[in-house]
Amino acid sequence: MPTPPDPSALYPDVAALGSLAAALRAEAEGCLGAVPVTSSDADPLRHAAVASTLPHREPLQISAWSHERRWSIRGTEPFQGLSLLDGRTEDLTEVARAARAWHDGAALDEIRRAVPFVHLTGRTEVPDHHPARLTESEWQSMRQKAAELEYTWKEPYQALIEAAYAEPALRALYPFTSHWALRFAATTRPDLTVVGPCLTAGSDGTFGLGRGIITPDLGRFATAHEAVALAVQHLPSGLGPVTLGR
């Protein structure tokens, strides 16, 4: 990969103001007002953050790209450190508007409607960290991500996610992926307690079940439903409701 240009060459307007934080304040007719905006001490032209009034939101992270003039945002929740929204745009004014909405506590779908470049990950905000709602939120994010994939193996992967979600015994567990393999936990993040086998979808349209993520040592199947059905049989007995991973 070629060496990126100096940030001041890609972002001369930001450099003229001294930091990305200052440039954000200058955008959108001062829409940020007195909102706290900070820049990275190490790289003030490329990184900034905007805090939220809501305690269950981390500061919105804003980053400038290295090889072309564009900005990315990422808004996370603090308990699991997972993304609620992200997005990329060439319009710094739109970044400032998204930051203001994030700061003010606007609902996620309201931010998306007001600032079209914002992409919602499918996760919902769960301020009380209720484990069942965190589990459902993660399932919805996983289903959305599968639907949005642009890889050639999207169809079998989405079929696997949907088949697992349709099975009550698996839907009750906290889902996560490792190297695109679907796995399950009896606790939420940040400290996952992994249970049961691992499900995979092959680019050839077959589905694997294994004790680990590398080899489908428990079988390979023509349909996602077959793989999911056997996965349920390999779940340990006595599993209760998902609890918080601390």
Side-chain angles (χ1 to χ4, degrees):
M1 182 175 290
T3 302
D6 188 281
S8 61
L10 276 180
Y11 307 98
D13 48 340
V14 176
L17 293 170
S19 69
L20 180 53
L24 283 164
R25 287 198 176 282
E27 290 295 325
E29 299 179 350
C31 79
L32 287 173
V35 171
V37 186
T38 59
S39 276
S40 162
D41 291 336
D43 198 351
L45 299 186
R46 293 188 58 244
H47 297 288
V50 177
S52 176
T53 57
L54 299 180
H56 55 271
R57 288 182 180 176
E58 292 281 24
L60 186 72
Q61 299 299 314
I62 303 163
S63 300
W65 289 28
S66 297
H67 292 272
E68 60 182 285
R69 184 181 170 88
R70 187 173 293 184
W71 291 274
S72 296
I73 66 168
R74 185 170 187 262
T76 62
E77 49 80 34
F79 181 68
Q80 300 182 102
L82 297 176
S83 177
L84 299 169
L85 60 77
D86 51 35
R88 56 190 184 184
T89 180
E90 298 175 3
D91 189 341
L92 192 58
T93 295
E94 290 295 277
V95 174
R97 289 175 176 152
R100 181 65 198 236
W102 177 264
H103 169 270
D104 289 350
L108 298 177
D109 57 348
E110 291 177 1
I111 299 175
R112 174 67 181 85
R113 286 194 297 268
V115 192
F117 86 87
V118 170
H119 167 258
L120 303 184
T121 64
R123 295 187 180 96
T124 56
E125 295 186 276
V126 186
D128 64 355
H129 305 154
H130 190 285
R133 287 193 288 274
L134 288 173
T135 298
E136 177 61 19
S137 172
E138 201 58 24
W139 271 113
Q140 293 308 320
S141 178
M142 188 170 290
R143 296 175 71 200
Q144 178 176 311
K145 185 174 183 179
E148 293 174 347
L149 282 179
E150 297 180 354
Y151 297 115
T152 56
W153 41 268
K154 168 187 174 177
E155 187 174 337
Y157 182 77
Q158 186 177 13
L160 178 65
I161 299 300
E162 291 298 329
Y165 181 73
E167 171 52 60
L170 298 181
R171 187 170 65 244
L173 297 172
Y174 187 92
F176 69 103
T177 56
S178 178
H179 299 83
W180 296 103
L182 177 59
R183 310 191 74 182
F184 308 95
T187 58
T188 69
R189 289 182 176 91
D191 187 13
L192 296 171
T193 302
V194 181
V195 296
C198 175
L199 287 158
T200 56
S203 58
D204 60 355
T206 63
F207 302 87
L209 183 71
R211 296 179 179 87
I213 64 174
I214 303 301
T215 304
D217 58 308
L218 296 176
R220 190 174 289 279
F221 307 89
T223 70
H225 291 286
E226 291 175 281
V228 164
L230 188 58
V232 172
Q233 296 180 29
H234 282 271
L235 289 176
S237 60
L239 289 175
V242 169
T243 58
L244 288 182
R246 298 183 181 276

